[in-house]
Amino acid sequence: MLGGILLLLLIVVAISVSVRSCQSRAAEAEKQQKAADAAAQQEEENNTLHLLAVGDNYYHDAILAQGEAAGWNFDSIYENVKDEIGQADLAVVNQEVPLVSDPEDASGYPKFGTPLAGGEALVSAGFDVVTMATNHSYDKGSAGISDTLTFWREQHPEITVLGIHDSQEDQDANRVRIVEKKSFKIAMINYTSLINEDAQVPDDESYAVDVYSEEAVQKDVAAAKEQADLVMVFLHTGVEDQNEIDDQTQERINYLAQQGVDIAICSHPHVLRPVSQVDRPDGGKMLVYYSLGNFVSAQKEVPQLLEGMADITLKKDADTDEVTIQDYSLVPLVMHYEKDQTNARVYFLDDYTEELAAAHGVHDYSSDEFTLESIKQYFSTYTDTADETTS
């Protein structure tokens, strides 16, 4: 009997050891699976990039007055959209005009200059990349170029600035910028196709603004493709206040596609234009936003106050490193101000109300309908062109 009891105890002990061993192996397997899942999730996150871009940011006199009244602070203008901008992996804005170090030199139309506080507001809003090659780049002459670049370099070196330079050496080194984020290397280039007659760049400072030419594009894009996964060109082009795509812009876009550019985002018309994909000779397609319209302004016509945000998701294949556009859209924005162009701020259309539309100061300047329903109808033309998915 004693032997039987001992045998039973041995069996119980063996079973207990076996159970604990199985539990231990199961726990280890579960731990390894969780680690593998976390690594896969991290790789997926690292290989997905969310990019936003908005249109022309420039302060007319009314907006300058608003900022001055707030102690030279423009943050309130961006308050309603900053969370979305800040959450993007990369956010791009077209700073239409130069910055000036002395607020006394600030000015609106026709020769613009924005106080440095305007640059601070863009940083606070969450932007990572600022494009500055526009028809207004030289509105404040070489001093404007110098003030602008000194501000960005000394106060916010983390911001990528495109399109302007204070020396030939700087242009040679920085006309093509490689922006690294997550597992992506994105080449970004910024050109303007026009400069205002009363703000022309002197011949001996031709390096100051990156001007579009086929020769420059061919050279820059070839260099960009050697260094980056994807090439983006920000092109200041078009006819102001014209929603239709003009022939010259289309010719330039076609040339960018021929060179193998992946994404082109245009500015200057101050109104929305379609979103499209243009065939490339290599069999791929170039995604084109023909105009995002304004972002911040105090213009007085309804179409100039209805604008868009490019919303693009990029994907990198973990095995081949190929980068593709997973999806894209055009997010509607409304530039709002009230009577006498006060209380200026940007809204997402989804957050805009009939009450805000009724209070908009545009009613004092334009006879065009401006209701929530008419606004939505306007946007439907452009958002319908950007609802496809590419891969």
Side-chain angles (χ1 to χ4, degrees):
M1 182 179 296
L2 183 59
I5 292 173
L6 289 173
L7 179 60
L8 181 60
L9 287 173
L10 288 172
I11 292 172
V12 169
V13 169
I15 292 173
S16 177
V17 170
S18 177
V19 168
R20 285 199 297 273
S21 177
C22 288
Q23 289 175 336
S24 178
R25 288 197 298 272
E28 181 62 27
E30 182 179 2
K31 181 180 178 181
Q32 291 177 356
Q33 184 61 50
K34 286 182 178 180
D37 290 345
Q41 183 176 355
Q42 180 59 45
E43 182 179 52
E44 176 74 10
E45 172 66 20
N46 202 42
N47 287 329
T48 304
L49 188 138
H50 182 210
L51 184 147
L52 299 177
V54 295
D56 305 332
N57 189 83
Y58 60 122
Y59 298 168
H60 291 84
D61 289 335
I63 294 179
L64 290 173
Q66 177 175 316
E68 182 178 12
W72 291 115
N73 186 296
F74 299 93
D75 290 348
S76 62
I77 298 172
Y78 309 93
E79 190 63 35
N80 300 313
V81 294
K82 67 179 295 184
D83 286 348
E84 186 80 14
I85 293 167
Q87 290 168 11
D89 294 311
L90 287 175
V92 186
V93 59
N94 180 54
Q95 174 57 28
E96 178 85 7
V97 305
L99 305 180
V100 292
S101 58
D102 185 351
E104 293 296 320
D105 293 333
S107 56
Y109 182 83
K111 279 194 172 184
F112 289 87
T114 291
L116 301 183
E120 293 289 358
L122 293 179
V123 176
S124 297
F127 289 103
D128 309 287
V129 180
V130 179
T131 63
M132 299 205 63
T134 76
N135 56 304
H136 289 286
S137 294
Y138 211 72
D139 274 9
K140 294 294 182 177
S142 60
I145 299 290
S146 178
D147 283 359
T148 301
L149 289 174
T150 297
F151 168 76
W152 290 120
R153 288 169 180 166
E154 295 185 359
Q155 302 301 317
H156 296 286
E158 75 281 7
I159 302 297
T160 299
V161 179
L162 304 175
I164 60 171
H165 312 278
D166 55 4
S167 69
Q168 186 61 60
E169 292 75 18
D170 183 67
Q171 186 188 51
D172 293 341
N174 293 315
R175 190 157 64 183
V176 178
R177 298 294 303 272
I178 307 301
V179 178
E180 297 190 38
K181 189 71 175 183
K182 294 185 173 178
S183 67
F184 296 79
K185 287 186 177 182
I186 302 174
M188 294 187 174
I189 315 170
N190 177 208
Y191 305 106
T192 182
S193 63
L194 66 165
I195 296 178
N196 287 351
E197 285 293 333
D198 58 353
Q200 289 290 303
V201 180
D203 290 341
D204 60 352
E205 294 181 28
S206 60
Y207 54 75
V209 183
D210 289 332
V211 176
Y212 175 92
S213 72
E214 291 187 354
E215 180 182 2
V217 168
Q218 185 179 44
K219 177 183 176 181
D220 293 343
V221 174
K225 291 172 73 173
E226 291 180 356
Q227 304 174 67
D229 306 313
L230 179 136
V231 179
M232 294 186 69
V233 171
F234 299 90
L235 179 61
H236 207 68
T237 182
V239 179
E240 289 184 333
D241 303 317
Q242 181 175 302
N243 298 97
E244 295 77 20
I245 303 164
D246 56 282
D247 292 342
Q248 279 193 317
T249 290
Q250 189 61 63
E251 289 173 6
R252 292 168 183 139
I253 287 299
N254 291 344
Y255 190 76
L256 294 179
Q258 290 168 18
Q259 304 309 306
V261 171
D262 298 287
I263 300 172
I265 297 180
C266 302
S267 56
H268 180 65
H270 304 309
V271 295
L272 281 174
R273 286 183 167 188
V275 182
S276 183
Q277 295 185 76
V278 176
D279 291 332
R280 300 190 320 205
D282 62 4
K285 291 182 180 293
M286 181 176 73
L287 174 62
V288 184
Y289 288 82
Y290 281 93
S291 175
L292 297 173
N294 290 322
F295 180 50
V296 171
S297 79
Q299 290 201 279
K300 297 179 178 179
E301 297 296 328
V302 169
Q304 298 166 338
L305 303 168
L306 304 179
E307 48 205 40
M309 173 186 286
D311 189 328
I312 302 169
T313 300
L314 303 176
K315 199 78 170 178
K316 173 176 273 194
D317 187 288
D319 297 322
T320 66
D321 284 339
E322 181 185 5
V323 173
T324 55
I325 299 170
Q326 185 181 49
D327 54 51
Y328 66 92
S329 64
L330 179 70
V331 181
L333 304 172
V334 180
M335 180 64 217
H336 180 81
Y337 55 76
E338 294 168 9
K339 189 172 181 60
D340 298 325
Q341 297 180 300
T342 57
N343 196 26
R345 59 194 63 224
V346 183
Y347 284 87
F348 286 109
L349 176 62
D350 285 348
D351 299 327
Y352 210 61
T353 65
E354 195 67 76
E355 291 74 20
L356 285 167
H360 202 298
V362 73
H363 296 291
D364 293 335
Y365 307 112
S366 174
S367 60
D368 290 349
E369 184 179 7
F370 193 89
T371 64
L372 189 59
E373 184 58 35
S374 70
I375 294 169
K376 289 180 178 179
Q377 184 61 39
Y378 176 89
F379 278 121
S380 67
T381 302
Y382 300 99
T383 54
D384 287 349
T385 68
D387 60 1
E388 303 173 29
T389 299
T390 62
S391 61

